[in-house]
Amino acid sequence: MAEEVTGEGTKFDLKPNDELRFEVETKQTVVMEMTHGKGEVFGAELAKNKKYKFNSGAKVAVYTWHGCQIKISFPNLVGTTEVAYISKETPMLMYLNTHAALEQMRLKADEENMRGPRAIIVGPTDVGKSTLCRILCNYAARLGRAPIFADIDVGQGQTDIPGTIGALSVERPSDVEEDYSQLSPLSFHFGHKTPQTNTALYELLIQRLAEVINMRSEKSKRTNVSGVIINTCGWIRGAGYELIKNTAGAFEVDLVMVIDQERLFNELKRDLPHFVHVVLLPKSGGVVERSQSSRGEARDAKIREYFYGIDNSLYPHNFEVKFTDVKIFKIGAPVLPESCLPLGMKAEDNKTKQVPVMPSMSLLHHVFSVSAANSPEDNVVETNVLGYVVITAIDMEKQCFTVLAPSPRPLPKNILLMMDLQFMDIK
């Protein structure tokens, strides 16, 4: 049953296997505190009597195996209400069983000195794929494991900003308030909000990410045994389905978890090799579909968080960069129509080609990846990125940009890769 949360606060008594769910829809901060018992948020344990703060857009689910009391309040408001509710229908027991199965595979891998489980989570948009990844990573970390979390959902950006794919080693449970934001991920520039924009580049980067993860696993037994958990986007039809199969092959997965999509489950069971286990899991009742505008707001919030941190805890820098000090590229060029080509000549595939971009006012407010490549002659496309900047002003007379960057001048490298994403730095 839903209850209104007032500015003074409301207490919720959770019995074993209950889940308290709420979403922060206002522009104010919500404070949550566990006063009794034991509880967890997406697999990360809550500390007793610690006040956790959540900002607008946060979706929170507190689960308890033993029972607990949670207090939710709006410290800065009086009379404002928000809706929270306790649910007794939750898939957490099935998620725990999935974790237990993965742990059994890790124990066997440890004994036989083999590679640990590699699991990919697939399904349509807004069914809780990212949440399940977080739960499984946190449970593994609580047992002393260090699984690699690979995020190839370019529209959301759980390990880094949107428009990238990457991975990080989860050596400790994620922060209840900040997720994995304080860790340093390995990231590759994709530059778009959806794989559909450039599937050739997307597949190339997935292959590259899988190679790097294999190299990391070979150097650390703990990492190798702990395995890999892969989050995907919600594109599951047509070319999207082919991408799922190709991704499973690139990472050599042992387990495919399909959330809330029986047709996809049956298709993958039919098409994937027999040694790959395919399981169907339900989605949580707290998962809700998001509109295109809310997705856009979430992307903006993620980019802003990169520069300014949670609750403006970070202080980014603004400084000028001369046009001559950087080289700007965009990955992928449009295919020339056959009418523009000489007779009998086929169009070249330019989807993974680095195309020089000349300084102009059209670059204003775009996000740029700072490539780790030393020169344009290096394999820039498959080189990881060091961070991101936003061009906030352009002076054509002085021939310079003003950039928003997380660290002071100078830029660590001089190759910038342009994204389709834009960010307005409004304080």
Side-chain angles (χ1 to χ4, degrees), residues 121-351:
I121 300 173
V122 300
T125 55
D126 297 327
V127 293
K129 296 187 295 296
S130 300
T131 298
L132 179 55
C133 286
R134 188 172 170 183
I135 291 169
L136 295 176
C137 285
N138 284 336
Y139 279 162
R142 283 165 64 176
L143 292 179
R145 305 295 187 184
I148 290 178
F149 172 44
D151 185 22
I152 59 174
D153 182 2
V154 294
Q156 185 172 341
Q158 197 174 3
T159 62
D160 213 334
I161 71 169
T164 62
I165 73 166
L168 54 83
S169 179
V170 184
E171 299 184 0
R172 63 181 69 87
S174 64
D175 188 277
V176 171
E177 296 169 313
E178 300 182 4
D179 200 359
Y180 301 111
S181 61
Q182 298 303 309
L183 300 176
S184 299
L186 168 74
S187 293
F188 293 95
H189 170 93
F190 179 65
H192 311 283
K193 296 176 284 189
T194 169
Q196 292 169 277
T197 309
N198 193 336
T199 54
L201 175 61
Y202 187 72
E203 288 202 74
L204 180 67
L205 294 178
I206 285 174
Q207 290 285 350
R208 177 60 179 152
L209 182 63
E211 288 173 10
V212 175
I213 288 174
N214 287 340
M215 288 188 285
R216 170 65 188 269
S217 298
E218 288 171 3
K219 293 181 179 179
S220 167
K221 182 181 178 182
R222 183 187 177 201
T223 301
N224 194 37
V225 168
S226 298
V228 183
I229 294 171
I230 306 153
N231 183 38
T232 61
C233 65
W235 188 22
I236 61 172
R237 290 280 167 262
Y241 178 70
E242 294 301 317
L243 279 177
I244 291 174
K245 291 195 298 180
N246 294 343
T247 301
F251 284 98
E252 300 174 336
V253 301
D254 312 291
L255 176 65
V256 178
M257 295 175 237
V258 184
I259 301 183
D260 194 45
Q261 183 62 250
E262 197 169 348
R263 175 179 169 181
L264 180 62
F265 165 73
N266 285 299
E267 288 175 342
L268 289 171
K269 203 163 185 179
R270 177 195 68 204
D271 295 339
L272 291 178
H274 63 89
F275 54 81
V276 178
H277 299 284
V278 184
V279 297
L280 180 64
L281 296 174
K283 72 174 182 178
S284 170
V287 175
V288 293
E289 289 189 20
R290 293 173 295 174
S291 64
Q292 290 294 328
S293 61
S294 64
R295 286 175 176 278
E297 289 171 6
R299 278 192 288 268
D300 286 344
K302 193 73 178 178
I303 296 171
R304 180 176 177 80
E305 184 184 309
Y306 171 79
F307 291 103
Y308 289 95
I310 304 289
D311 286 334
N312 294 324
S313 56
L314 302 178
Y315 298 93
H317 300 260
N318 282 280
F319 55 86
E320 291 186 347
V321 176
K322 293 180 180 178
F323 289 174
T324 53
D325 289 343
V326 292
K327 295 178 176 65
I328 302 175
F329 297 94
K330 188 173 177 65
I331 307 301
V335 178
L336 284 172
E338 291 186 6
S339 58
C340 297
L341 297 171
L343 191 62
M345 191 173 181
K346 291 187 176 181
E348 184 182 355
D349 182 13
N350 293 327
K351 291 292 186 179

Side-chain angles (χ1 to χ4, degrees), residues 352-391:
T352 58
K353 185 178 181 180
Q354 59 192 63
V355 182
V357 177
M358 299 304 295
S360 69
M361 295 304 294
S362 64
L363 305 185
L364 193 61
H365 303 306
H366 275 275
V367 182
F368 293 82
S369 302
V370 181
S371 175
N374 292 314
S375 75
E377 286 69 41
D378 293 346
N379 188 353
V380 175
V381 176
E382 296 185 46
T383 301
N384 64 296
V385 299
L386 302 175
Y388 310 94
V389 297
V390 175
I391 292 180

